[in-house]
Amino acid sequence: MSSKRVAVKVEGRELSLSSLDKDLYPEFTKGEVVDYYTRIAPVMLPHLKDRPATRIRFPDGIHGTSFVEKNAPSGTPGWVRTVTLATPGSSRGRDTLDFVMVDDLPTLVWCAQMAALELHVPQWTVGPRGGRRKPDLMVFDLDPGAPASIMEACEVALLLRDLLAADGLTAHPKTSGKKGLHLYVPIAETDRAEEYAKQAAYKLATDHKDLVVAKMERQVRRDRVFVDWSQNNPAKTTVAPYSLRAAERPSVSTPITWEELEDARRPSDLVFTAPDVLDRVAEHGDLLEPLLKERQTLP
């Protein structure tokens, strides 16, 4: 394997790419990861814009050591936008961290060069001077406990869609890229998203005891779908739309339609790899575009 470096210019920024023929997945190279993120950027970047990115890096591929990176590493190019944010209770014992803002294509390509396969973002944005805004997204992470699968998560997604619709809220689904689903509700900025999401999850768990659980404890999740409302906590993040995931194949957290969700008959119907997703975007555009435009008021 060659580790030769390639100098490229991306939107006027100089980048040095290396080890492009290294397999980060079985049969999917770092060069293919860079290519995917370059081509998906037009629909992905709007969902990353102004949201501090937590990067999960796999320098030796999905079977090697990985690590979560919130702080901008030493050697970060000067043109990469960073925002210093308070991180009370940080496991690193630091009061602030310098978060990378993946606002443009050069920064996204730089993340791919650093083998940051997964990009996770919070439900809130920062303002032009780096101030933290109130959440403008509410998310539900539907996580099936084995032997339940994404098929049971689909059932729960439809129940949750109806529960939200009764409150006048429209939800938009995507796959987690692993075994679950995410439902997003674009909202007017508010501090109440976590409280509302928790109430909705517990109502669903009360009404559908055999299918849904809203408690955090792992031992109660077997063969049921955990509706994780806690990702609305300002300290938490969710994998970004169109992010790759660390799985055996280069699967992607993929926006889907409600029709696809209803029509799915087996888990494989809802697994999409990087090439699949590029084809889908060419056909459908960004199915999560409403997250960028709609602002619904919580009741």
Side-chain angles (χ1 to χ4, degrees):
M1 183 198 316
S2 82
S3 59
K4 70 174 192 287
R5 301 191 82 82
V6 182
V8 296
K9 207 165 204 175
V10 182
E11 292 182 350
R13 304 295 188 190
E14 307 263 347
L15 280 150
S16 176
L17 306 181
S18 63
S19 306
L20 293 178
D21 52 1
K22 180 190 218 169
D23 281 329
L24 294 186
Y25 296 84
E27 299 181 15
F28 199 77
T29 65
K30 185 175 173 183
E32 289 171 299
V33 168
V34 171
D35 179 66
Y36 167 73
Y37 275 127
T38 301
R39 292 165 64 191
I40 204 67
V43 291
M44 186 178 189
L45 286 172
H47 294 287
L48 296 171
K49 185 171 170 53
D50 294 331
R51 297 183 194 273
T54 296
R55 300 155 329 275
I56 307 184
R57 291 175 54 187
F58 297 81
D60 296 309
I62 60 156
H63 294 307
T65 306
S66 65
F67 58 97
V68 175
E69 189 171 67
K70 293 179 182 287
N71 204 45
S74 62
T76 298
W79 46 259
V80 169
R81 180 184 165 212
T82 60
V83 172
T84 303
L85 293 167
T87 50
S90 159
S91 59
R92 308 241 173 229
R94 294 184 48 170
D95 295 331
T96 63
L97 290 173
D98 299 323
F99 284 84
V100 169
M101 309 299 286
V102 186
D103 285 343
D104 56 24
L105 180 58
T107 306
L108 186 57
V109 172
W110 171 73
C111 287
Q113 156 61 21
M114 304 283 276
L117 297 181
E118 297 193 7
L119 300 174
H120 295 242
V121 290
Q123 315 320 320
W124 44 269
T125 62
V126 295
R129 290 190 297 281
R132 184 188 294 214
R133 292 176 164 146
K134 293 177 182 177
D136 62 353
L137 291 174
M138 179 169 63
V139 68
F140 296 88
D141 178 3
L142 310 184
D143 184 11
S149 72
I150 199 169
M151 303 317 297
E152 284 77 15
C154 287
E155 282 181 65
V156 176
L158 294 167
L159 294 169
L160 184 53
R161 177 184 70 173
D162 294 346
L163 182 71
L164 294 166
D167 274 342
L169 299 171
T170 302
H172 305 274
K174 75 171 168 65
T175 69
S176 71
K178 288 196 168 173
K179 64 184 192 321
L181 291 169
H182 297 149
L183 255 59
Y184 283 91
V185 181
I187 52 174
E189 287 185 25
T190 177
D191 283 329
R192 290 180 40 242
E194 185 180 10
E195 168 202 342
Y196 176 94
K198 183 177 182 178
Q199 287 175 350
Y202 273 87
K203 176 163 177 36
L204 217 53
T206 303
D207 294 348
H208 304 276
K209 288 187 177 65
D210 294 341
L211 182 61
V212 180
V213 60
K215 291 192 173 87
M216 293 283 171
E217 293 78 27
R218 288 205 170 269
Q219 62 269 27
V220 298
R221 297 192 205 171
R222 182 180 159 75
D223 206 18
R224 291 192 283 178
V225 176
F226 173 45
V227 178
D228 185 355
W229 46 268
S230 73
Q231 291 184 26
N232 297 288
N233 182 304
K236 297 274 192 85
T237 60
T238 307
V239 69
Y242 304 108
S243 173
L244 287 163
R245 300 306 306 267
E248 275 306 301
R249 296 162 69 205
S251 63
V252 171
S253 185
T254 308
I256 55 174
T257 66
W258 283 110
E259 291 72 31
E260 287 178 302
L261 190 148
E262 290 174 41
D263 292 346
R265 292 292 169 264
R266 61 191 76 79
S268 58
D269 292 343
L270 293 172
V271 176
F272 303 100
T273 61
D276 299 332
V277 172
L278 290 167
D279 290 343
R280 288 172 62 80
V281 169
E283 183 180 347
H284 301 295
D286 178 17
L287 291 172
L288 285 182
E289 194 174 15
L291 301 192
L292 308 171
K293 297 185 170 173
E294 290 173 7
R295 287 296 165 252
Q296 306 172 93
T297 305
L298 291 183

